[in-house]
């Protein structure tokens, strides 16, 4: 089978960084057309620089990186340094990136790439959906060239930034509304799934034992990220964003079902919540495939195997 054309939209973030490494290590499966960065876990200047640092770490200078939107569509910006640290990828200790981002804005790149493609493109979204939503608003016709959107965001149950809302959706719920209403095949990977994929000490030790610079960076990031999550949730680092790439590589590791998902935009306690109509109470047409379970052992086995494919310069 030919490699799947893929664009990754992200806001690195330690878990975004691991997701990028997983994708970079899967060149046979993905024709990675570009990485677009958006403000989210940390401001845009950090997220786009972090994406370029991770590109260097993976030895993939062929993949262009584009800086995108520095703020949400409507609401005020919200970041998460309290979880990810001031740099967003604290623990990785990576040098300055070797080259600058591309001159084009990420939204323009998305529109141009999706307008010109001869083969539908998959979008893997790991942060707030601002870039993707504005590309759809700018040229709705691009939706016809999207094979599918696989997004890390939302939750069927409780949130992580408010009692009701998950960070990526809450950071720009108006953008999420645009994307969920776009009529594009959409898979939602929410907290219900990602909190099943925890980087436990034995799983981290298996990665550390690879003895490579990428493995050391992953473990350094997840050690710190895990400490923050233990403080907040009493367990180690959940692999939120890597679940997106893992699903594209091995969907059999996951289980889910189609349902209607609406994004709450009204002021109040539920602002930014993904309202998942599990039992079809509203009678509205389904608009998302919502994942509910993951084979965590299978996920970490694949992650470790893929990380072993990256440059093997010893630390």
């Amino acid at each position: 089978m030919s490699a799947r054309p893929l664009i990754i939209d992200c806001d690195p973030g330690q878990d975004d960084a691991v997701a990028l490494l997983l994708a970079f290590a899967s060149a046979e499966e993905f024709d990675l057309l570009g990485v677009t960065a958006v403000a989210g876990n940390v401001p845009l200047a950090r997220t786009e620089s972090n994406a370029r640092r991770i590109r260097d770490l993976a030895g993939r200078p062929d993949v262009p990186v584009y800086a995108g939107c520095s703020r949400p569509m409507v609401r005020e910006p919200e970041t998460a340094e309290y979880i990810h640290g001031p740099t967003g990828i604290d623990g990785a200790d990576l040098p300055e990136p070797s080259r600058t981002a591309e001159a084009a804005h990420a939204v323009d790149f998305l529109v141009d790439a999706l307008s010109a493609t001869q083969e539908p493109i998959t979008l893997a979204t790991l942060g707030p959906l601002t870039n993707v939503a504005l590309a759809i608003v700018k040229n709705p016709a691009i939706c016809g060239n999207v094979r599918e959107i696989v997004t890390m965001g939302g939750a069927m149950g409780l949130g992580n930034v408010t009692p009701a809302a998950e960070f990526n959706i809450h950071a720009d719920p108006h953008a999420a509304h645009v994307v969920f209403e776009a009529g594009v095949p959409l898979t939602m990977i929410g907290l219900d799934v990602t909190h099943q994929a925890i980087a436990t000490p034995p799983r981290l030790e298996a990665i550390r034992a690879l003895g490579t610079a990428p493995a050391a960076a992953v473990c350094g990031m997840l050690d710190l990220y895990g400490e923050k999550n233990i403080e907040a949730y009493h367990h180690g680092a959940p692999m939120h964003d890597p679940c997106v790439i893992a699903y594209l590589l091995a969907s059999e590791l996951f289980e889910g079902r189609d349902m209607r998902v609406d994004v709450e935009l009204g002021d109040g306690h539920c602002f930014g919540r993904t309202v998942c109509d599990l039992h079809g109470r509203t009678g509205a047409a389904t608009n998302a495939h919502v994942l509910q379970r993951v084979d965590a052992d299978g996920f970490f086995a694949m992650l470790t195997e893929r990380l072993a494919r990256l440059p093997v310069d010893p630390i």
Side-chain angles (χ1 to χ4, degrees):
M1 295 179 64
S2 60
R4 174 198 293 248
L6 177 69
I7 296 172
I8 299 176
D9 187 70
C10 58
D11 63 334
Q14 286 103 337
D15 55 328
D16 300 73
V18 178
L20 285 171
L21 289 172
L22 181 55
F24 286 138
S26 303
E28 292 183 4
E29 290 86 357
F30 299 137
D31 177 13
L32 190 48
L33 304 177
V35 173
T36 54
V38 66
N41 287 319
V42 287
L44 178 66
R46 289 287 192 185
T47 62
E48 66 89 7
S49 175
N50 289 344
R52 291 184 286 125
R53 284 178 167 86
I54 297 300
R55 175 182 64 184
D56 288 350
L57 178 65
R60 289 295 305 273
D62 56 300
V63 179
V65 173
Y66 300 85
C69 295
S70 61
R71 54 155 298 148
M73 291 175 66
V74 176
R75 65 162 303 176
E76 291 298 313
E78 177 177 327
T79 54
E81 288 92 343
Y82 59 93
I83 291 289
H84 296 277
T87 70
I89 55 171
D90 281 22
D93 192 25
L94 299 178
E96 289 294 315
S98 61
R99 50 183 275 236
T100 62
E102 305 301 312
H105 191 281
V107 171
D108 295 327
F109 164 69
L110 287 165
V111 170
D112 292 346
L114 286 162
S115 297
T117 187
Q118 299 300 308
E119 181 179 353
I121 296 170
T122 296
L123 303 181
T125 69
L126 315 180
L129 288 161
T130 317
N131 287 339
V132 176
L134 287 177
I136 291 170
V137 169
K138 184 174 183 180
N139 185 357
I142 64 174
C143 292
N145 288 332
V146 176
R147 175 174 172 177
E148 65 176 321
I149 297 173
V150 181
T151 188
M152 190 281 126
M156 294 181 65
L158 299 178
N160 63 352
V161 67
T162 73
E166 178 274 331
F167 176 83
N168 283 345
I169 303 296
H170 187 264
D172 197 342
H174 302 89
H177 171 75
V178 169
V179 173
F180 275 78
E181 296 296 317
V184 173
L186 174 69
T187 295
M188 174 180 131
I189 305 180
L191 299 178
D192 317 271
V193 175
T194 63
H195 278 276
Q196 298 171 33
I198 303 299
T200 62
R203 289 166 175 165
L204 277 179
E205 287 311 308
I207 295 173
R208 205 182 316 270
L210 297 175
T212 63
V218 166
C219 290
M221 289 187 290
L222 295 185
D223 285 341
L224 293 179
Y225 184 51
E227 289 176 8
K228 296 291 187 180
N229 278 274
I230 288 171
E231 292 174 9
Y233 306 111
H234 310 293
H235 59 57
M239 293 291 88
H240 300 301
D241 296 328
C243 281
V244 172
I245 306 303
Y247 175 76
L248 290 170
L249 288 169
S251 61
E252 65 274 11
L253 295 175
F254 297 83
E255 297 178 26
R257 59 188 291 185
D258 294 343
M259 63 186 75
R260 176 72 190 184
V261 179
D262 291 292
V263 180
E264 178 58 56
L265 300 178
D267 292 335
H269 294 302
C270 291
F271 178 70
R273 180 177 178 83
T274 46
V275 182
C276 299
D277 188 5
L278 176 63
H279 299 295
R281 305 294 189 193
T282 65
T286 62
N287 64 343
H289 183 64
V290 179
L291 301 189
Q292 296 172 279
R293 284 172 291 279
V294 59
D295 173 358
D297 288 336
F299 165 84
F300 277 98
M302 180 175 67
L303 175 62
T304 305
E305 185 275 327
R306 293 300 166 118
L307 291 174
R309 301 183 182 186
L310 292 170
V312 294
D313 295 337
I315 58 173

